[in-house]
Amino acid sequence: MPLSNKFHLTKRSKRNKEELIKMVSQRVYELTQAKDTVSSVLASDPNVKSPGEAADRLHKMESPGLIETVKSVIIGCLSEKDPTRDHSQEDLDRAAQCGQFGSKRPSDLFLKIYHDALHTLEVDPLIGVVSPPLMASRGVVPLSIFSPAHPDIMQHYYDTIVNAQHEVFVATNYWQVGNAASQLVAALRELSRRSVERGVKVVVKLMYDRGALGQLKENHLLVTEEQWTAQEIKLPPRSELTGLEFEVVNYHRPVFGTFHAKYAVIDRRIALLNSNNIQDMPNMEMMIHLEGPIVDSFYDVALLSWDRALNPQLPLLRGPKAVDRDIQNDPYKFGKENALISCKDPQGPPTNAPEDVAEPQTNPVRPTAEQNTSLAERLQWQHHPFTDGSKPLIPKEAGYNPYFAHSPHEECAMALVNRRPYGSPNHSDWLTPQDVAWLAGVKHAQKRIFIQTPDFNAKPIIDGVLNAARRGVECILYICVGYNDAGEALPFQGGTNEEVVKNMYSTLEDKFRHNLRVHWYTAIDQGRPINASLKKRNCHIKLMIIDDAVGIQGNGNQDAQSWYHSQEINIMIDSPLVCKEWEEGIRRSQNTHLYGELQKDGVWRDKEGTPLPDSTGIKSGPMGLIKGIQGTIARVRGTGGF
């Protein structure tokens, strides 16, 4: 995105917070109906040299002066106006006209959330890091993966990348030398070998965030070959990738505007959206494989994020686009009919999904000691052997299979609910598609909310969940105890998960506490939670499901950093089938629903009444400041929980 976009929110925030109570405006409607997008302008006009230039041509905005900026920041930080609203039928009809949904109208719940998110375009048409006509579309989800990054998620990266014919775009927050990175490097080498055999070079773009002083002047730094082959990155030199045209960009918006995105786009045909970085961490993660017109939206996101001139240009910029796919002659393939899925021996949906209960009626079948050891090696990253990524490793222990092949389904409505990075050290930048969609989902829920996130401490979502519980909505939270406690204990970061949960239960009136069901993440080979500070069994999944029908999955955590600062990419999907199968995938890959639930005072205890013994003891306030600073430094370096 153009550097001038840095202050877009602050200039318009006061006016547009007042406008949020209105129906989608004519201006926003026209933005979604426009023929031109950043992708199309860059493709059609040879005088436009970069996505940043295309964005300026379509939606150039002036930067405010210092006084106006300070004033707007103060208003944004202090304002508590609810950005959501109740909807008339006219509101929903208007929202239905603002997306490329095809012949099937989305559900009212989806339209309510999308309607509220659309209002943020009044602030800045590109606030969601996607051109407005591409914000909402449609597609399918043939595969989801619930696993540590290595080897299973990175195996799917490997499989899709080596089969690319034209281009690959990969974005990650942090790149760390290790197993996950080795698997992606192996994919690049194999893709290069195949491209040399075909005699056609494949264009590959890679983005990551490694804070550098040069980003004070230019947020998007072109990484030199000398830099990317250095010890801390260890990407191959161009001489070893002769079948590729390879470029790398390092993106960060100082001070706190982290590029937290994690996705890939392959041949403008497949998009991968995941919770993990290219990094070895002891985390359970989630990745989804998307196909359909929604891939064009991810393509636009990738271009806007890159911002710079592409050298060389992406071969498929002028088409064919994902929306051009002839579904009759080139149908979506599910399960064993899809070669990228069948090679992994995935599991599909069960005939009868198990109930989500806090404690089983009888003891479940537990792994044997030998199986437990093998599974432990898979879940704990320190034990993984290095791999060249060329051989799939399929876990079969104790019935655990990370690959979930979704039931065949038609295209469903989808919307990108993202946020751009914001570097200033304040909490004024909350009026974004991501934040408003989360708030709208919680507000419009009628029966049930499910959230899994590493951290849960952003004030708006805390208040939203408490209000939902008071309305009689069952609120199920899966959180990772001790996750990044050091960083979250800093002032203005919201507090540690343990602090927040105890405060939530103490705040919630007794008659509503049964509606709030908080769980600490519990790994599939464990019978009790383990504090994340021990780096043995953590969870990094980011997922919200509203009324078992609308799901929001992607990069954003429910913490202050993701709510107010980082660039995040998230997909909202209108599909009860996919949502049901996502929750089944969650149950298959962890024991949180069996052993993780807290008591109504916000404390986890075992059957004997004993609390967890491994709390970090880190709390907000002066005593936690030193630990917090250390944690923040680690997180910026990518070695902390992020």
Side-chain angles (χ1 to χ4, degrees):
M1 293 174 63
L3 190 59
S4 59
N5 284 354
K6 184 174 182 178
F7 297 110
H8 283 183
L9 175 66
T10 58
K11 174 122 181 177
R12 298 188 176 207
S13 58
K14 181 178 180 181
R15 173 173 67 86
N16 288 294
K17 284 170 189 171
E18 294 168 352
E19 289 181 356
L20 282 174
I21 61 173
K22 300 178 181 178
M23 187 179 72
V24 171
S25 69
Q26 183 64 22
R27 176 174 181 267
V28 169
Y29 172 78
E30 290 174 355
L31 286 170
T32 65
Q33 305 303 304
K35 293 182 179 180
D36 287 332
T37 64
V38 168
S39 307
S40 66
V41 169
L42 190 62
S44 62
D45 191 337
N47 295 318
V48 176
K49 304 302 182 184
S50 70
E53 286 186 30
D56 276 343
R57 173 172 293 192
L58 290 172
H59 307 293
K60 187 170 180 61
M61 299 178 67
E62 66 213 67
S63 296
L66 179 60
I67 294 177
E68 181 67 23
T69 297
V70 173
K71 180 180 177 182
S72 297
V73 166
I74 293 173
I75 293 171
C77 289
L78 297 180
S79 174
E80 294 186 359
K81 181 180 282 293
D82 184 357
T84 64
R85 59 160 295 172
D86 296 326
H87 302 88
S88 66
Q89 189 60 46
E90 185 181 10
D91 292 331
L92 301 185
D93 292 343
R94 185 75 151 179
Q97 297 169 0
C98 294
Q100 300 180 27
F101 300 124
S103 59
K104 185 178 179 181
R105 179 186 171 101
S107 69
D108 284 355
L109 176 59
F110 179 95
L111 291 174
K112 288 176 181 179
I113 302 171
Y114 178 52
H115 175 279
D116 292 343
L118 277 171
H119 281 292
T120 63
L121 303 188
E122 292 279 5
V123 177
D124 174 355
L126 297 177
I127 196 169
V129 204
V130 64
S131 298
L134 295 172
M135 181 174 172
S137 187
R138 60 196 186 277
V140 297
V141 187
L143 176 71
S144 294
I145 301 177
F146 303 87
S147 165
H150 170 82
D152 304 304
I153 291 175
M154 296 314 301
Q155 180 65 49
H156 195 62
Y157 263 73
Y158 180 95
D159 293 339
T160 54
I161 288 172
V162 300
N163 284 286
Q165 301 296 304
H166 306 283
E167 60 187 42
V168 174
F169 191 106
V170 176
T172 184
N173 165 237
Y174 193 69
W175 175 281
Q176 179 191 61
V177 174
N179 297 307
S182 295
Q183 211 162 0
L184 196 138
V185 168
L188 296 178
R189 292 184 183 278
E190 175 62 14
L191 176 62
S192 176
R193 185 191 68 79
R194 296 184 185 189
S195 300
V196 169
E197 286 186 352
R198 294 200 315 266
V200 178
K201 287 195 172 185
V202 174
V203 176
V204 178
K205 310 292 183 184
L206 172 65
M207 287 187 72
Y208 55 61
D209 182 343
R210 296 181 68 88
L213 286 176
Q215 287 161 334
L216 292 170
K217 181 179 180 181
E218 169 54 59
N219 297 166
H220 301 79
L221 294 178
L222 190 64
V223 181
T224 65
E225 183 174 351
E226 182 181 6
Q227 291 170 328
W228 84 54
T229 56
Q231 283 297 109
E232 60 269 22
I233 304 296
K234 279 191 174 180
L235 282 162
R238 286 195 173 97
S239 61
E240 297 178 13
L241 299 174
T242 55
L244 308 182
E245 295 282 4
F246 189 51
E247 270 193 309
V248 183
V249 159
N250 178 9
Y251 179 30
H252 186 88
R253 180 161 292 172
V255 177
F256 295 108
T258 299
F259 181 67
H260 196 231
K262 313 147 198 304
Y263 62 88
V265 185
I266 296 93
D267 279 347
R268 205 167 181 173
R269 184 179 176 91
I270 294 170
L272 309 179
L273 181 62
N274 41 286
S275 62
N276 62 285
N277 301 309
I278 311 298
Q279 179 181 22
D280 293 346
M281 296 292 284
N283 297 339
M284 179 60 66
E285 306 277 5
M286 178 178 178
M287 188 221 78
I288 65 172
H289 171 126
L290 295 142
E291 297 183 29
I294 193 66
V295 176
D296 288 330
S297 304
F298 278 90
Y299 201 78
D300 203 69
V301 167
L303 291 171
L304 273 163
S305 300
W306 186 270
D307 188 70
R308 303 177 60 99
L310 298 102
N311 184 28
Q313 192 62 268
L314 293 173
L316 299 180
L317 182 62
R318 294 174 177 81
K321 297 181 288 186
V323 74
D324 297 329
R325 180 172 178 171
D326 183 353
I327 303 302
Q328 287 192 341
N329 295 317
D330 185 15
Y332 300 121
K333 295 180 180 179
F334 296 87
K336 294 183 178 180
E337 293 184 356
N338 188 318
L340 290 171
I341 299 175
S342 62
C343 67
K344 299 176 178 64
D345 190 20
Q347 288 182 324
T351 303
N352 294 300
E355 295 296 323
D356 189 344
V357 294
E359 193 71 31
Q361 297 298 317
T362 58
N363 290 329
V365 177
R366 308 301 300 164
T368 65
E370 293 77 12
Q371 290 172 329
N372 234 10
T373 301
S374 180
L375 190 56
E377 290 178 349
R378 192 170 202 85
L379 297 176
Q380 192 166 334
W381 63 273
Q382 293 97 328
H383 295 163
H384 286 161
F386 276 78
T387 175
D388 65 2
S390 60
K391 295 180 180 179
L393 300 174
I394 311 301
K396 298 290 182 62
E397 308 91 350
Y400 169 65
N401 189 322
Y403 303 108
F404 196 108
H406 287 284
S407 303
H409 53 274
E410 297 180 347
E411 291 178 338
C412 56
M414 299 181 178
L416 286 177
V417 286
N418 308 332
R419 63 159 290 123
R420 47 76 185 292
Y422 181 74
S424 300
N426 61 69
H427 288 181
S428 67
D429 195 30
W430 57 273
L431 193 59
T432 66
Q434 169 191 268
D435 297 357
V436 172
W438 281 339
L439 287 176
V442 170
K443 178 177 180 177
H444 299 309
Q446 298 296 311
K447 300 178 296 183
R448 184 175 182 271
I449 299 164
F450 173 84
I451 297 174
Q452 179 145 32
T453 176
D455 296 316
F456 190 87
N457 62 16
K459 186 178 184 300
I461 194 67
I462 293 171
D463 292 343
V465 166
L466 290 175
N467 289 334
R470 293 184 179 107
R471 298 197 315 269
V473 175
E474 182 184 32
C475 300
I476 300 173
L477 308 183
Y478 285 12
I479 310 172
C480 196
V481 61
Y483 199 93
N484 195 41
D485 274 1
E488 304 304 333
L490 277 172
F492 309 113
Q493 292 304 301
T496 68
N497 288 333
E498 288 179 274
E499 288 181 299
V500 168
V501 170
K502 287 180 182 179
N503 288 337
M504 289 177 71
Y505 275 112
S506 65
T507 299
L508 193 61
E509 298 80 3
D510 289 348
K511 62 181 178 180
F512 300 122
R513 285 183 184 171
H514 67 282
N515 290 325
L516 179 61
R517 297 178 57 192
V518 181
H519 304 64
W520 295 144
Y521 166 73
T522 306
I524 191 172
D525 64 335
Q526 301 294 312
R528 61 190 295 138
I530 296 177
N531 195 286
S533 63
L534 300 178
K535 297 189 182 299
K536 292 182 177 179
R537 298 289 188 278
N538 302 350
C539 189
H540 199 233
I541 290 171
K542 307 98 165 31
L543 178 65
M544 176 185 287
I545 297 175
I546 307 106
D547 285 347
D548 303 318
V550 174
I552 302 175
Q553 182 269 349
N555 305 155
N557 301 320
Q558 299 294 342
D559 60 14
Q561 177 66 34
S562 284
W563 266 78
Y564 301 114
H565 294 292
S566 296
Q567 176 166 318
E568 312 286 5
I569 309 302
N570 308 286
I571 189 81
M572 179 168 67
I573 296 180
D574 189 24
S575 173
L577 184 148
V578 172
C579 289
K580 176 183 177 182
E581 294 182 354
W582 275 347
E583 286 210 55
E584 172 58 20
I586 293 286
R587 283 190 289 266
R588 287 183 182 180
S589 60
Q590 54 189 267
N591 284 341
T592 307
H593 61 296
L594 298 176
Y595 304 116
E597 187 161 8
L598 280 62
Q599 295 181 6
K600 298 309 178 185
D601 59 353
V603 176
W604 184 94
R605 296 179 179 87
D606 62 18
K607 290 183 178 180
E608 285 70 44
T610 305
L612 284 178
D614 50 8
S615 174
T616 63
I618 298 174
K619 296 182 179 180
S620 302
M623 297 301 293
L625 186 59
I626 295 177
K627 285 286 186 181
I629 293 172
Q630 293 173 341
T632 298
I633 292 172
R635 190 155 76 168
V636 170
R637 293 175 59 201
T639 57
F642 210 41

